[in-house]
Structure formats: C-alpha cells, structure tokens
Amino acid sequence: MSSTTEHNAFFIGGEYRAPAGTGRITVISPNTEEPIGSVPDGTEADIDAAVAAARQAFTDKSGWGGWSPAQRADAMERLADELDKRAADLAQAVSAQNGMPIAIAGQLEAVFPQLLLRYYAGLAREYPFEETRPGLLGGSTLVTADPVGVVGAIVPWNFPQALAAFKYAPGLAAGATFVFKPSPETVFDAYILADAVAAAGIPDGVINIVPGGREVGAYLVAHPGVDKVAFTGSTAAGRTISEVCGRLLRPVTLELGGKSAAIILDDADLDLTRVGEQIFSATLLNNGQTCFLGTRILAPRSRYDEVVQTFAGLAGSLQVGSALEATTQIGPMVSARQRERVESYIAKGKGDGATVAAGGGRPQALDRGWFVEPTVFAGVDNNHAIAQEEIFGPVLSIISYDGDDDAVAIANASDYGLGGSVWTSDHDHGVSVARRVETGSIGINAYLPDPTAPFGGVKSSGLGRELGPEGLAAYLVKKSVYL
C-alpha cells in the first residue's frame, strides 16, 4: 500500500459508484499519528443503493439466488484464490490502519478469510439443504433450508477482514447477499476485498461495501430491505441493535465484548520457552485489542508470586513498535481515543489499590504513535473495574484463588462469557474445569477459534453463533412442506 491511499467511490452492484454525499473519512496512522488517506463517508442514500443491489442479486433467479450450492462453492473458491493473490496487500493495509503487528496480520487477516471460504465451500457441497422426514400423522414432510435474504453486516476495526469473512463465508454458502459497513478506522482493506470479489466473478450486488459511521450503521440495521443483521462490536452497540431487531422481529447475530478468564491450575507449566507463544496469543494478541482474550489471569494462591513474575516477564520481553515492523509484537492502539481509554483504566487500577508489576505507561523510546506498554497488575480483586470492564488494550489483571471451586466462581463472576482458557498438565482435569466455566468457548493450554466449531458468547457477550455448521445455519430459514 502506498503512503497515502485515496478512494472516491463505493463498491455497489458490482461496480464502483460515486457517493451520494460529499463527506470524507480520513484515516490516521496509529503508528505515526499522520493522515494516510481517505475514502467517501457513506450516507443513507448510499445504503439504499447498496440494499437495492443486494436485493436484486438475491431475487434474480438466473443469478446468485438461483445458483446451486455447488456453483456458489466454485465461486467462493475463486474468491479465496483472488484473496490469496492480495494477501500481502491486505496485511499491510490492516496493520497500517489499526496497529495490528504485521506478523499477526499476515497470519490471520491475510489467511483466515480464505480458510473460511474454502471450508464453507466444502460444507455447501454436502449440506442437507433439503430433507424428507416421515411424519407421525400418515404423511411425510419436505424440509427446506432457504437463504435468509439480504444481510446487513457491520464489521469492527480490530480484525476487519477475518470478522467480515465470519459473516460472508457462511452467508455466501447459504445463498444470502450482503451490504457491509466497515468501521471508519479500517476502510482501505475493504476496497481490496471489493477488487477480489469483482475478479472472482461473484455476481453483481452479492457483496456491497459502504464505509460509514454509527448513524449509517443504525440506518442499515433498521432498513426495511434487510432480512438479517450480523454485528461484531461493543456490547453497548449490540444492545441497541438487539432492541431494533427485536422490535422488527429481524434475525440478528451479535458477537460482542468479553472479559475472559485464563485459569492457571496449580500444575500448569509456565515455562515461557515452551508455552510463551500460546500464553501470548491467549492474553495479548493484537495489542490486547481482541474480544476473546483472557485478560483476567486467575492464579492459585500457592503459585501467585510465580504467576505474577511469569506474566511480568512476558510483558517486559515483548517488542513494542510500529505495526509495520516484522519484529513488532505489540503495536499501537488504533486511535488516540482508544489509548486514552486504556490509560484511564490503568489509572483506575492504580486508584483501586492494585500494583503495577510491569508496564503502566507509554514506551519512552516512542514519541510518536498511540502506544501503551504491555501492563500487568497484581493484587487485583475481581470486583475492581480493571477486572470487570473490557479495556481492549494490553492490560492483564492477576487475581488469586483457593481451589477449583473458587477459580470457577471467580471466572463466572462476570457480565461476559465469550472466551477463556485453562492451563494445566492434566488434560482431563483441565477439561473438567473448562466445562464449569460459563462461556461460549474455552481452550486448554491455548486459545484460538477453530472454523469447524461454533463461536459466540453468553450473557453480555452476544447472541447466536458464527463458524462451524452452526454459522451456516444462521443464514438459512427452514420451511416445512407437508406432503
């Protein structure tokens, strides 16, 4: 990607169309605090055009709406191939905009969408979109699974490409069409996706992309031409969306915030030479700007000091710097506002009496960019704000516990339930503890969502599931034909 990137149109109906308004979204580099380009700011009229294009693509029986699952699968695999060609550009664009270390962007943002497209293409070829069931009243029933229709999809800035694919990969397999609203912080990568969609021969209007702010997103959610909403973002925004969709009786999938627990059992291996990468990925991935991270570290009282020392050592060893440097492990926060939010929580932690075991400030060697040192707090009570509220930055809270029952109780004493992990040398013991944690997903000695398994939250972490066959089912509507 060049040092500055400018776009002047939206991808609607398979082509780039001039915007209805004159507003612009300017993207500021989190690495340098300098502008790196701009795109048009979407309006309600742009959303209207995008929804109309998606509706036309869905209802056209000679187009996407009438294609067989095998035809859709072929197109999805072509899209995966086109994204492969653009993988380096995608990683560069994401890192330049949101501060994700380029090494991580190259592993996730530039790879995961293709993985999902190929997985769901395979699933589409074998999925039972129709079945006949014997009845109890003398006949039988044909049960069909039809695409839900036009989907309004709102994608956050932290994993813009991976989380877009969480939605369009299963949705395309189902036969749905999409209007995407990317976050204003990450818009350039959406244009790379649009180019790949066009090159892959995806029919016009199947995927439409209109960047914009909250007002445009709210308009899309309530649009009368939308049949389903798929949203990833904050719990506060998710509640508002849920209220709108509830009033409209509109299906909605919500993947929201988290404050997950990483439970260190008394027999856990904490040798960072063996498990450091897994611990880092489960607690600090993407500068802590990841919803499922285990930012509450639950440590047995008998090993508490050792756990604090381990995590403080990990935090202190991490390379902090520009997201575009290959060796960077912790990049900047996405925006000045996000850094202010993280720093306000660090101040709250200190004010509540917790002790800073590592970090706690800005890196002295970096005078430009929205950087925060990886920070570890010891002496944290689970009722502290830093233990209960989602910070969305590289801040870990270490909480002591006495025995498994206490650990599970502390883990479950949260408004959230999205991710989590259990660390132990006894696999069966770890699974036993994991089963008791109130969460949508949890890992043993690691954490990473797998495409084949349902992903989503309980409590304030959301509604519905993405990934796995369940993710495909979320874009289908069942109909019974009594024979």
Side-chain angles (χ1 to χ4, degrees):
M1 192 178 73
S2 63
S3 57
T4 59
T5 302
E6 302 293 333
H7 292 282
N8 297 303
F10 295 130
F11 188 69
I12 297 174
E15 63 182 5
Y16 286 102
R17 299 186 187 179
T22 60
R24 304 285 296 181
I25 296 171
T26 299
V27 180
I28 307 298
S29 166
N31 298 297
T32 66
E33 304 180 36
E34 298 291 337
I36 55 175
S38 68
V39 304
D41 192 2
T43 66
E44 293 183 0
D46 297 310
I47 292 294
D48 287 340
V51 172
R55 176 62 58 190
Q56 182 176 352
F58 180 71
T59 57
D60 181 2
K61 295 307 177 184
S62 65
W64 193 253
W67 284 18
S68 69
Q71 288 175 302
R72 294 198 296 267
D74 289 344
M76 292 166 63
E77 288 171 345
R78 292 197 302 272
L79 177 55
D81 292 342
E82 292 296 334
L83 289 172
D84 281 341
K85 298 175 185 177
R86 296 162 173 80
D89 291 340
L90 283 168
Q92 182 84 4
V94 170
S95 293
Q97 294 172 101
N98 72 0
M100 179 185 294
I102 191 73
I104 295 173
Q107 294 172 353
L108 296 179
E109 289 291 275
V111 174
F112 215 73
Q114 298 92 298
L115 185 69
L116 289 177
L117 281 164
R118 292 181 175 118
Y119 167 69
Y120 279 108
L123 199 59
R125 289 190 171 96
E126 62 185 34
Y127 194 84
F129 289 98
E130 291 189 2
E131 61 173 317
T132 300
R133 302 178 186 174
L136 295 177
L137 303 177
S140 60
T141 303
L142 172 65
V143 180
T144 65
D146 301 314
V148 69
V150 175
V151 179
I154 300 177
V155 181
W157 49 259
N158 60 330
F159 290 89
Q161 285 302 302
L163 293 174
F166 272 39
K167 296 158 182 58
Y168 69 68
L172 292 180
T177 60
F178 284 85
V179 176
F180 276 95
K181 190 206 76 69
S183 170
E185 287 83 0
T186 46
V187 290
F188 301 144
D189 54 291
Y191 284 86
I192 300 173
L193 170 61
D195 289 344
V197 168
I202 303 295
D204 297 349
V206 171
I207 290 181
N208 308 272
I209 303 174
V210 180
R214 293 180 181 179
E215 295 80 6
V216 172
Y219 185 74
L220 175 61
V221 167
H223 198 286
V226 167
D227 300 303
K228 175 186 168 66
V229 172
F231 171 80
T232 301
S234 72
T235 295
R239 291 187 192 280
T240 300
I241 291 170
S242 179
E243 290 171 359
V244 172
C245 291
R247 185 176 68 252
L248 297 172
L249 298 180
R250 178 168 294 168
V252 60
T253 300
L254 302 171
E255 195 267 279
L256 308 177
K259 194 70 182 180
S260 304
I263 304 174
I264 313 295
L265 297 183
D266 56 11
D267 63 349
D269 179 2
L270 294 181
D271 186 336
L272 293 179
T273 63
R274 290 192 291 268
V275 299
E277 184 176 347
Q278 291 89 335
I279 288 178
F280 170 80
S281 296
T283 60
L284 289 165
L285 182 72
N286 191 21
N287 317 331
Q289 297 177 144
T290 305
C291 50
F292 57 66
L293 291 178
T295 53
R296 289 185 297 148
I297 313 299
L298 276 53
R301 197 174 300 277
S302 61
R303 299 183 67 185
Y304 188 82
D305 291 343
E306 177 193 356
V307 172
V308 171
Q309 184 178 10
T310 297
F311 279 89
L314 173 64
S317 72
L318 297 174
Q319 181 69 38
V320 181
S322 169
L324 300 176
E325 294 291 335
T327 57
T328 292
Q329 295 166 290
I330 297 290
M333 300 296 93
V334 69
S335 64
R337 181 177 63 182
Q338 184 62 21
R339 181 172 66 174
E340 291 171 2
R341 173 183 172 85
V342 173
E343 290 178 331
S344 74
Y345 274 104
I346 292 174
K348 285 182 183 179
K350 294 175 181 178
D352 285 339
T355 301
V356 176
R362 300 180 182 180
Q364 294 183 356
L366 298 169
D367 58 358
R368 298 293 299 275
W370 296 308
F371 294 94
V372 176
E373 292 177 324
T375 299
V376 176
F377 276 103
V380 179
D381 186 282
N382 196 49
N383 293 317
H384 287 170
I386 59 172
Q388 286 295 313
E389 299 174 20
E390 186 175 40
I391 299 174
F392 229 58
V395 180
L396 305 179
S397 299
I398 305 184
I399 303 165
S400 64
Y401 72 84
D402 297 294
D404 289 359
D405 290 347
D406 191 32
V408 171
I410 294 171
N412 291 341
S414 170
D415 289 338
Y416 298 102
L418 183 59
S421 54
V422 179
W423 302 82
T424 177
S425 297
D426 184 338
H427 177 80
D428 292 342
H429 184 199
V431 172
S432 176
V433 171
R435 289 179 183 274
R436 299 171 60 192
V437 178
E438 297 169 355
T439 187
S441 58
I442 191 166
I444 307 298
N445 294 326
Y447 182 91
L448 185 65
D450 190 280
T452 66
F455 174 76
V458 299
K459 298 188 280 189
S460 293
S461 289
L463 296 171
R465 293 294 180 265
E466 297 182 305
L467 304 183
E470 293 82 0
L472 174 56
Y475 292 92
L476 295 169
V477 176
K478 293 295 184 73
K479 178 190 293 184
S480 295
V481 181
Y482 304 120
L483 305 176

